[in-house]
Amino acid sequence: MSPQFSDYALVVAAVLFALGLFGVLARRNVVYVLISVEVMLNAAGLAFISAGSKLGQPDGQVMFIFILTLAAAEASVGLALVIQFYRAYKTLDTDSARELKD
Amino acid sequence: MYAIVWLIPALPLAGFLLLVFLGRRMPRAVAAVVGVGSVGLAALATVLVGASFLSAPPAGGAIEERLFGWVSLPSLSFAFGFRVDALTLTMMAVITIVGFLIHLYSSEFMSRDGEFWLFFAYMNLFVSSMLVLVMADNLALLYLGWEGVGLCSYFLIGFWYREPEYCVAARKAFIVTRIGDVSMLLGLALLVSSFATLDIQELLRRAAAGWAPGSALPVVATLLLLGGAVGKSAQLPLQVWLPDAMAGPTPVSALIHAATMVTAGVYLIARLSALYALAPAVQSLVAIVGLATLLLAGLAAIAQVDLKRILAYSTISQIGYMFLGLGVGFYSAAMFHFMVHAFFKALLFLAAGVVIMAQGEEHNIFRMGGLRTALPAVFWTFLIGASSLAALPLVTAGFYSKEWILWGAWQAGRGGPLLWLLGGCLGVLLTSLYSFRAVFVTFFGDQKIRESHLPGARMKIPLVILAALSILGGFIQIPSDIAPVSLFESFIGGVFPKAPGAAEGGSTQILLQVVASALSLIGVLAAYVLYRRGVGAHERLADSDAYRGVRRFLFSGLGFDWVYKWAFVKTFDCAAKLLKGEVVGRAADAIGSANAAIGRALGALQSGRIRWYLVGIALGAVAAVGAAVWL
């Protein structure tokens, strides 16, 4: 059985997820971390849709709508956190927030 | 009259309770009346019980009274019960009557002491415990009394607790006797596990029925009990505590460390004589221990300069005689010597107390002298006590009691004549030498310290009564070749197994008596030559190095303290130091430091860098998914 479109879409989703994860881990600027998290969320959404298409079921699309809602909520909370973070530290570098350690 | 038996130990106990709770607020006179009176009433009760015991002997030869239960288990039960037979009555009479005289003496001797009431509280508790010890009908109650007297001994040796060395002496006495007590407790445990009873009479019956003579169990049991007796009675090898126990006030030395407590071991062996009959080898050991102790302590006594230490070594030596008597099966003789010894040794200690007080707390006899005229009453009573101790023939009680034991030693099965030769000849010679050395040096010659603090009536009366007893006490038991009187034997003999070959009389006995008497007189003469007339003789000797070395050796109590110090104290110290340096501790420490290291390593993960946490989460998620997919 030759690979179908949905299989390629799953691979793209995996690559996107890995890129997002790399961004979360490697970036120090908290705004970029937030953007990378959005990339990961969308990678997860793509994976659901392509899986739904592959299995011929609508559940994947339903899940994507949930993820979209979640992403919106996450963005609003995340951006609020970023503003508070900046007010507290006068920087956007995540590594400067290490007070629990000391 | 038998109904008042329980009062005899209860009265001193009541005295103790009164004094210990209210004594601090009592005037001295009241405290003295309570302290002396309680023992006096106990003595009166003992005399009343004794009189009715003699006039109408109870059935079975013993008064039995069970007060109340103590421990009641299906497998084992014992109670607070008393059993008074002739042996117990003898002990009780000595404890209460001599005890009363010593309390009377103390009421004046201690009158200037700040803790007068406490002294009498301890003394009353001691008398009560000692009475419980001898009256107990079971070994658990006996053991209670046994530990009670040990505790009082500790309190009273360290009575003047502001002197650190007195406290050391008290601890030494407690620890050394404790070694014996542990042995005794093990012995009791063995008896309980074998016969499931602690009642003495029942135990002896079951032992006689259940144990074959000479088999392993009775040997072990009697050996363990002998360990307890040896510790309490200051016999070899646990005798080291008694000379140091002289740190206590002199009446304490007289009552506890001469007349009563130290003879508890003698009582224990006499009480369990039927058990010792099942272990002939151990009984021979008792005789050998007694013989060795009496000789070594006699030698040590010759070199002492402290009047009380001379008497302490003499006590050890005389208890050695009692052990010799027990060992050869002459129990009545041992108990007779116990009684007579209590009279004359209490007398000697009380007289020594007067002497020391009159010489301004001087203990060294060589710094005293010439007290014959300064303290005539003390001189004459001390002389009577010393004569009785030295067993001067015919007139003293000590002669009759010692003669009886020596006659037993001669008749003992194996090596009897050897026992007699060492115990009789050498022991008697040593005894009269050291006792008259003390008499000549202390009371004759020039007076070196002016006398002060002359004794009053309350100190003199006990001396006179005890002196009378030291003479007259002997006439109730006289060898048949001199005069056939054997009141003591007919009173107490029924308690013990028959002495082997107790036939008396014959020319041998007369010969032995003559030899022993001659030796006792030679000892007096030697003391006179060495320490009185020929002061030169003693000093000429004193110049040689060998003599000085020997004297130092004897002075130290034949080096036992030194040996124990190196064998036990120092090795224990070394071991403690070694172990303190982390031999065992290191293993425990390793567990702790390993945990700390793990903690530090895991703590490093908490870096505070949020991206590292995310790496952790990601790797964890990968691992979880991987595990879910492939496993």
Side-chain angles (χ1 to χ4, degrees), chain B residues 4-20:
Chain B
I4 61 169
V5 162
W6 67 275
L7 270 176
I8 296 171
L11 279 167
L13 185 67
F16 161 73
L17 292 174
L18 261 179
L19 284 167
V20 86

Side-chain angles (χ1 to χ4, degrees), chain A residues 3-47:
Chain A
Q4 293 173 328
F5 175 77
S6 56
D7 295 330
Y8 295 118
L10 272 175
V11 172
V12 170
V15 170
L16 265 181
F17 189 87
L19 281 173
L21 183 63
F22 175 77
V24 168
L25 299 181
R27 284 286 182 175
R28 298 205 297 195
N29 190 315
V30 70
V31 177
Y32 281 98
V33 172
L34 213 54
I35 292 170
S36 303
V37 170
E38 290 297 329
V39 173
M40 284 166 77
L41 276 170
N42 286 301
L46 183 56

Side-chain angles (χ1 to χ4, degrees), chain B residues 314-479:
Chain B
S314 140
T315 303
I316 299 175
S317 171
Q318 296 304 306
I319 297 171
Y321 270 108
M322 295 174 212
F323 269 62
L324 180 61
L326 297 172
V328 298
F330 270 51
Y331 296 104
S332 312
M335 292 320 294
F336 188 46
H337 194 56
F338 148 75
M339 184 184 83
V340 170
H341 172 257
F343 295 150
F344 68 68
K345 190 53 64 66
L347 165 64
L348 285 170
F349 265 114
L350 296 185
V354 177
V355 167
I356 289 166
M357 194 169 79
Q359 297 283 285
E361 297 306 313
E362 178 57 63
H363 284 244
N364 188 335
I365 54 171
F366 287 97
R367 294 198 203 119
M368 304 174 187
L371 294 174
R372 186 165 42 113
T373 46
L375 300 166
V378 177
F379 167 65
W380 286 109
T381 49
F382 194 92
L383 186 65
I384 288 169
S387 311
S388 202
L389 171 59
L392 292 193
L394 299 179
V395 291
T396 62
F399 170 74
Y400 295 108
S401 63
K402 213 172 278 184
E403 218 36 69
W404 197 2
I405 290 179
L406 292 180
W407 175 234
W410 174 268
Q411 293 188 321
R414 288 178 297 278
L418 189 68
L419 285 183
W420 179 82
L421 190 71
L422 288 170
C425 300
L426 210 53
V428 168
L429 184 67
L430 287 173
T431 309
S432 65
L433 181 59
Y434 70 67
S435 42
F436 274 86
R437 170 176 174 268
V439 171
F440 287 131
V441 175
T442 311
F443 291 98
F444 289 81
D446 301 324
Q447 194 170 350
K448 291 169 192 153
I449 305 174
R450 250 202 100 54
E451 73 275 13
S452 54
H453 292 308
L454 292 178
R458 276 179 293 160
M459 286 169 83
K460 277 185 188 161
I461 289 169
L463 290 181
V464 172
I465 295 175
L466 285 169
L469 287 171
S470 302
I471 297 284
L472 301 176
F475 297 127
I476 58 172
Q477 179 72 33
I478 298 177

